[in-house]
Amino acid sequence: MRNLNLLGTAVIGLVIGLWEVAARWGPLADLDALPSPGEIVAAFGELLSDGSLIPAVVHTLWIALLAAVVAISAGTVLGLLLGASSAFRLVTQSSFDVLRTIPAVSIMPVLLLLLGPEPRTEIIAGSIAATWPMLVNAADGVRSVHPRLAEVGQVFGFSRTRVAVRLTLPAVVPNLLVGARLAVVTALLATLLAEMIIVPTGLGWALISAQNAIQMAQMWVVVVVCGWIGWLLSIALTQIARNLQPGGAR
Amino acid sequence: MAGDAQTNDEPEESASSPVYELKEVAVDLTGVLGTRRILSDISLTVHQREIVGIVGRSGTGKTTLMRALGGLTAPAAGELLLNGEPISGTPEGVVTIFQDYGNALLPWRTVAKNVALPLEGRMRRSEIRERVDRAIDSVQLRGRENDYLNSLSGGMQQRVQIARALAVNPAVLLMDEPFGALDALTKASLQDVLLDLHSHNDATIIFITHDLDEAIYLSDRTFVISGDVSAGDPGHLSLELDVELPRPRHQVRTRESPDYLFLRHTLGDAIDLARG
């Protein structure tokens, strides 16, 4: 909050105010798909009081978190191996390159038929999508560590393990953090999609059902809530990344 | 003439045992273009506490020679002895200080933690702290020990690398163009830091430079390395020069003495400075 941008905040307020005016009396009055901010706030109150919003948020966050944890763990291990071992790279790189290009959404119907409409299926779908950015960043990180660092270890008589633990791994931390941030965002995105395609729950399904019921204000509530989640997540991740990188970003 | 004209207030150390003995050493490196001879027929002896400078143009194999001395590259032919034993791997007590301090230091650690790196897990914490303190004092970085490297100037960062080397009490310091990336004034002050350290320390120092003045100012002996590796002419030693200038040396007065100027002239001719 130290760097609260007053002018930027004022612009947002102004846009919302203009939107309200335009939606009530102006050119947007006849556009049903775009309700006024006032109507959206009212719908927000309804969704809160009928008890449907909070469980949806909890479900989405919970699935996205589990998917992100699986993806970060798997992506880190595979990525570090890929970066460090030329043998592993030789055997697996082409497979990873092909698999990586398959859009995560396209395998969701397949996973639904294979594993059924379970939260487990959502987690698997989300983690598959989120593993790639983690893996790619971890592998690139290892390969971009300057060879001088290992020579420093050699000069001081370090074993290979000691070089890996004391020098290489800490040097890769910035890349791991970038990968983790992307993985979390990707996991959230894939979870919303999975909720639309695999299990009708959470914010993803809330969006679809509001659309089907032509509840425009409710639909916008979900959009705004998704935006908040993304925003808060980005602030939290930036803060965590800052604390895990003493000495500044590299 | 350079050696005769002055009084030499340091005793001759020819009696001390050699630290390094190189006999017709050759080094090959294998790159994308195949294996190439980088150095050939390198013979030299370095005694304990000596400061030896190796000066040469780019592409004469200076860095390769340093890597061979540090055990980072194995010789292809000849004999490379350290304290009478052939070198295998990076020998204990020999520390290389790299020119690119930015790559050789750990930006996620503070100054003190960088200096402590080689000591960790090898001695008690109290002893580590003591050694780190002493090393930081000797490079005049007291007060900066808890700072991260990104708040330090280039000269300070190179001092951190020197302190990290000193922390292990090395018998030999190998310095690969240690001050090459620094501005002239920072360079001069670090040269004096190094000479001051050496005056109460038993370490042998071998350093590489492309700066003739630095070679003469610091060293007891200077070698010129010539050749053109990329043109198929491996690096070889073309001149050995005794630098019998009195110590302690002085950035202004030493550099204007006739002996200094004579040595510089000889070195400049040997390296064909006028060629540009």
Side-chain angles (χ1 to χ4, degrees):
Chain A
M1 282 300 135
R2 273 168 304 168
N3 307 322
L4 186 66
N5 182 346
L6 280 178
L7 196 63
T9 316
V11 168
I12 295 175
L14 187 70
V15 169
I16 292 178
L18 283 175
W19 178 5
E20 180 73 48
V21 169
R24 270 184 202 220
W25 304 289
L28 300 180
D30 298 329
L31 202 61
D32 288 338
L34 197 63
S36 74
E39 289 171 291
I40 296 173
V41 170
F44 184 69
E46 284 166 30
L47 286 181
L48 269 185
S49 56
D50 76 4
S52 61
L53 186 60
I54 299 295
V57 171
V58 169
H59 181 267
T60 302
L61 281 180
W62 185 233
I63 298 289
L65 179 74
L66 289 176
V69 168
V70 173
I72 290 171
S73 318
T76 302
V77 172
L78 291 174
L80 291 179
L81 267 175
L82 209 57
S85 158
S86 50
F88 186 71
R89 190 156 60 235
L90 190 69
V91 174
T92 60
Q93 175 92 63
S94 340
S95 311
F96 283 140
D97 282 345
V98 171
L99 289 175
R100 198 152 57 86
T101 57
I102 302 174
V105 207
S106 66
I107 52 165
M108 283 184 188
V110 181
L111 287 173
L112 173 62
L113 290 181
L114 269 176
L115 302 164
E118 309 277 343
R120 188 187 59 179
T121 316
E122 291 179 289
I123 296 170
I124 290 171
S127 46
I128 288 175
T131 296
W132 302 118
M134 190 67 229
L135 179 146
V136 169
N137 275 285
D140 282 355
V142 174
R143 275 191 277 179
S144 63
V145 171
H146 199 282
R148 183 75 69 241
L149 219 45
E151 285 181 357
V152 167
Q154 247 180 299
V155 163
F156 292 120
F158 284 15
S159 66
R160 283 186 61 155
T161 324
R162 203 175 172 81
V163 168
V165 173
R166 300 264 162 148
L167 301 170
T168 311
L169 207 54
V172 179
V173 164
N175 304 76
L176 296 182
L177 290 172
V178 170
R181 280 173 66 179
L182 289 172
V184 169
V185 173
T186 311
L188 180 65
L189 216 86
T191 300
L192 287 171
L193 284 168
E195 287 169 343
M196 297 175 183
I197 296 171
I198 297 174
V199 187
T201 43
L203 288 172
W205 184 248
L207 209 52
I208 295 291
S209 55
Q211 183 207 18
N212 288 344
I214 325 185
Q215 293 287 337
M216 293 311 168
Q218 288 189 6
M219 200 179 77
W220 276 93
V221 171
V222 180
V223 170
V224 170
V225 168
C226 287
W228 281 346
I229 291 175
W231 181 62
L232 290 173
L233 219 52
S234 136
I235 291 178
L237 291 169
T238 309
Q239 201 57 47
I240 292 171
R242 203 170 286 161
N243 291 332
L244 288 177
Q245 280 185 100
R250 294 180 283 284
Chain B
M1 178 178 159
D4 301 335
Q6 71 188 51
T7 51
N8 190 350
D9 52 7
E10 279 187 10
E12 281 294 312
E13 291 200 58
S14 54
S16 72
S17 64
V19 176
Y20 274 108
E21 270 180 289
L22 279 69
K23 291 171 195 160
E24 294 167 13
V25 166
V27 180
D28 294 346
L29 285 184
T30 304
V32 279
L33 299 169
T35 299
R36 247 195 333 203
R37 180 135 298 189
I38 309 294
L39 294 169
S40 75
D41 198 23
I42 305 278
S43 297
L44 69 99
T45 305
V46 178
H47 295 277
Q48 205 197 334
R49 279 210 89 232
E50 253 193 315
I51 304 183
V52 171
I54 295 164
V55 56
R57 293 172 175 275
S58 304
T60 50
K62 295 194 297 288
T63 295
T64 306
L65 175 56
M66 207 50 123
R67 293 176 63 84
L69 292 174
L72 290 165
T73 304
E79 248 190 321
L80 204 177
L81 303 178
L82 175 67
N83 300 318
E85 303 278 330
I87 287 188
S88 69
T90 47
E92 213 183 315
V94 177
V95 175
T96 303
I97 292 173
F98 297 98
Q99 177 183 15
D100 51 342
Y101 46 80
N103 294 321
L105 292 170
L106 321 184
W108 59 90
R109 287 179 173 226
T110 60
V111 168
K113 292 271 183 194
N114 262 285
V115 176
L117 175 80
L119 308 177
E120 286 166 356
R122 292 179 180 175
M123 54 191 71
R124 282 177 292 111
R125 275 165 193 273
S126 56
E127 195 179 338
I128 291 180
R129 200 167 313 132
E130 223 170 88
R131 285 222 206 176
V132 168
D133 275 352
R134 214 180 317 137
I136 286 177
D137 274 339
S138 59
V139 297
Q140 296 155 23
L141 278 177
R142 165 98 13 240
R144 303 307 296 265
E145 47 276 74
N146 294 321
D147 289 352
Y148 286 99
L149 302 173
N150 58 3
S151 67
L152 266 56
S153 68
M156 286 180 176
Q157 293 190 35
Q158 189 58 299
R159 277 191 265 167
V160 175
Q161 206 193 169
I162 294 172
R164 182 175 71 183
L166 294 174
V168 302
N169 291 334
V172 178
L173 272 180
L174 300 176
M175 308 177 87
D176 184 358
E177 296 196 32
F179 313 133
L182 305 173
D183 67 87
L185 294 176
T186 309
K187 196 182 205 179
S189 79
L190 281 191
Q191 287 168 350
D192 288 335
V193 166
L194 186 70
L195 289 184
D196 182 51
L197 280 172
H198 185 256
S199 67
H200 32 81
N201 185 307
D202 280 339
T204 306
I205 297 176
I206 305 175
F207 69 97
I208 284 178
T209 182
H210 51 239
D211 178 344
L212 304 188
D213 291 293
E214 179 168 88
I216 301 167
Y217 184 72
L218 291 177
S219 69
D220 297 312
R221 258 188 316 150
T222 293
F223 289 89
V224 173
I225 185 166
S226 310
D228 187 348
V229 172
S230 58
D233 175 18
H236 52 273
L237 298 179
S238 55
L239 179 75
E240 175 178 354
L241 197 62
D242 282 322
V243 181
E244 292 175 335
L245 298 169
R247 293 184 189 273
R249 292 181 182 168
H250 188 277
Q251 285 288 356
V252 179
R253 285 193 293 278
T254 298
R255 289 172 193 265
E256 63 194 12
S257 75
D259 291 334
Y260 179 92
L261 295 173
F262 176 79
L263 288 165
R264 196 183 186 289
H265 187 114
T266 313
L267 213 50
D269 278 347
I271 213 162
D272 201 4
L273 198 62
R275 193 182 86 194

